[in-house]
Amino acid sequence: MRITFVLPAPARIPMGGVKVVYAHARGLAARGHEVHVVGPRRVGEGVTAHARALAVRVRDRLHGVRDAPYYEAEGVHTHEVPAATAAYVPDADAVIATGVQTTGPLLVLPPSKGTRFYFIQHVETFIDPRVVETWCYPFVRITVAEWIRRRVEAEGGPVAGVVPNAVDPAEFFVERPVEGRPARVVALYHRQHVKGPDVLIEALERLKAALPEVEADVIAARRPSHRLPGWVRVHVRPSVPALRALYNGAAVVLHTSRSEGWGLVPMEAAACGCAVAATASEGVQEFLADGHSMRAVPVGDGAALAAAALDLLRHPEERVRLARAAGEAAARYRWPELTARFEALLQQGVAAA
């Protein structure tokens, strides 16, 4: 098959959703398909769309972001184009919207661009409150999680299938024994409110007050726009080996999102031996369970998150138990099997069109 993924924008920084797209794109290419990933510099027309695209380019330059795709994959053709229009989207058998922003442009593409699919990785009301309307578009819908499938089918159209996420065991694995790790936490920072930057800051401050020797490493795609505590080490766009080392150097990963489609960071950290202390968003509960493979606290509660992390740091046997269970849970998901499921759904959708 000829398969085209259409991103909301060119991916010049690490993004979980785009990483998932490239994992499937790489696997599909390895299975003999012609795979393209299109990153339009703007979505939509008019002054607003052009101004938004210009603002992104200015911000990238200010943040030292390279003017090149962040992700690459063997056998995958990556295109940065002016817009997601018929002139720039290749002819294909399947064309896949990967975010709410891309559904409108794909809706008006001619049939030569392929059967339309909608790969739904989150309930993106924080991007566009009208996202529910897009769930009724004449696309073949695929979700990454059962909780998203239930939501889409309750308010939109039927879902063809669910394809969960995974982590690459060649990238994320235990290098340092789970036992005996220092009093150190690791966390993702993102400026969007839905990702809980305020929750992260409160949790870190409370944790330091209760346990002065605690250390923290925070990873971020861009320089933080919030003021993090001065004792926190910030790592902007670390390489995969550097990120693996950060996970392996920590005892606990803090997951702070108010809503998450799946939760790649806690999954990556779990694969590297971290215990997970998380706000109980739906996505992380797709593969981890409170009391069995993580500690879950109410969404938005930084104090409770700090207390959970503190308890794990003070009780190493419980931390190790949860860390091992989380690692086993993460290992149950494998990209080759999941991409094969994704491929089957594409083939079924194209055949039925």
Side-chain angles (χ1 to χ4, degrees):
M1 288 189 298
R2 298 167 301 162
I3 301 165
T4 302
F5 291 89
V6 180
L7 305 177
R12 299 193 183 95
I13 60 172
M15 300 177 182
V18 179
K19 184 172 186 176
V20 169
V21 165
Y22 270 88
H24 287 306
R26 179 184 297 107
L28 290 166
R31 297 173 77 88
H33 301 287
E34 179 185 322
V35 184
H36 298 261
V37 178
V38 174
R41 287 192 287 272
R42 70 174 189 277
V43 176
E45 298 296 335
V47 174
T48 300
H50 285 272
R52 187 182 298 114
L54 177 60
V56 169
R57 293 184 73 83
V58 170
R59 183 178 63 175
D60 282 349
R61 290 181 181 178
L62 291 174
H63 285 243
V65 175
R66 292 190 310 124
D67 192 16
Y70 186 84
Y71 295 100
E72 295 179 332
E74 184 177 353
V76 176
H77 308 280
T78 296
H79 312 271
E80 181 174 323
V81 299
T85 59
Y88 302 110
V89 175
D91 287 353
D93 300 297
V95 60
I96 306 165
T98 63
V100 61
Q101 308 97 314
T102 62
T103 55
L106 267 62
L107 187 63
V108 298
L109 288 178
S112 64
K113 303 304 173 182
T115 301
R116 290 171 298 207
F117 292 80
Y118 191 178
F119 186 33
I120 306 174
Q121 300 191 61
H122 203 340
V123 175
E124 298 175 308
T125 50
F126 59 94
I127 295 176
D128 188 338
R130 300 166 298 177
V131 65
V132 174
E133 298 174 15
T134 68
W135 298 342
C136 299
Y137 288 176
F139 291 11
V140 179
R141 286 163 285 276
I142 302 170
T143 70
V144 298
E146 286 290 342
W147 81 268
I148 302 175
R149 178 194 62 79
R150 293 191 294 270
R151 180 77 179 273
V152 171
E153 291 190 335
E155 303 183 56
V159 170
V162 177
V163 182
N165 291 338
V167 295
D168 186 343
E171 292 183 339
F172 299 105
F173 52 87
V174 175
E175 292 180 306
R176 182 172 181 173
V178 175
E179 302 87 353
R181 292 194 178 186
R184 184 180 301 146
V185 299
V186 65
L188 172 71
Y189 164 86
H190 195 292
R191 65 185 179 87
Q192 285 185 330
H193 180 71
V194 71
K195 296 289 189 178
D198 54 320
V199 179
L200 174 61
I201 292 169
E202 181 182 5
L204 290 172
E205 289 176 340
R206 287 179 177 270
L207 188 56
K208 188 69 169 180
L211 190 67
E213 66 267 30
V214 75
E215 301 176 37
D217 290 295
V218 168
I219 56 178
R222 299 179 184 274
R223 294 194 305 271
S225 52
H226 292 76
R227 186 183 296 276
L228 297 178
W231 56 276
V232 173
R233 294 182 293 263
V234 178
H235 308 265
V236 178
R237 296 187 293 278
S239 66
V240 168
L243 182 55
R244 183 173 64 244
L246 291 173
Y247 290 148
N248 272 273
V252 176
V253 60
L254 305 178
H255 178 66
T256 63
S257 291
R258 290 179 165 86
S259 180
E260 193 76 33
W262 181 266
L264 277 179
V265 166
M267 197 178 203
E268 293 171 351
C272 295
C274 285
V276 179
T279 49
S281 59
E282 295 95 332
V284 72
Q285 295 182 87
E286 282 281 312
F287 60 98
L288 298 177
D290 184 30
H292 172 70
S293 49
M294 70 169 172
R295 284 285 181 86
V297 304
V299 169
D301 194 336
L305 188 62
L310 179 64
D311 188 65
L312 292 175
L313 292 173
R314 285 178 169 169
H315 297 89
E317 290 185 2
E318 176 68 359
R319 175 185 63 78
V320 169
R321 182 185 73 82
L322 290 179
R324 294 198 186 285
E328 291 171 1
R332 286 198 290 269
Y333 300 89
R334 299 178 176 88
W335 281 125
E337 297 169 7
L338 297 172
T339 297
R341 189 186 307 181
F342 197 93
E343 176 190 45
L345 292 169
L346 294 179
Q347 290 171 334
Q348 292 166 16
V350 169

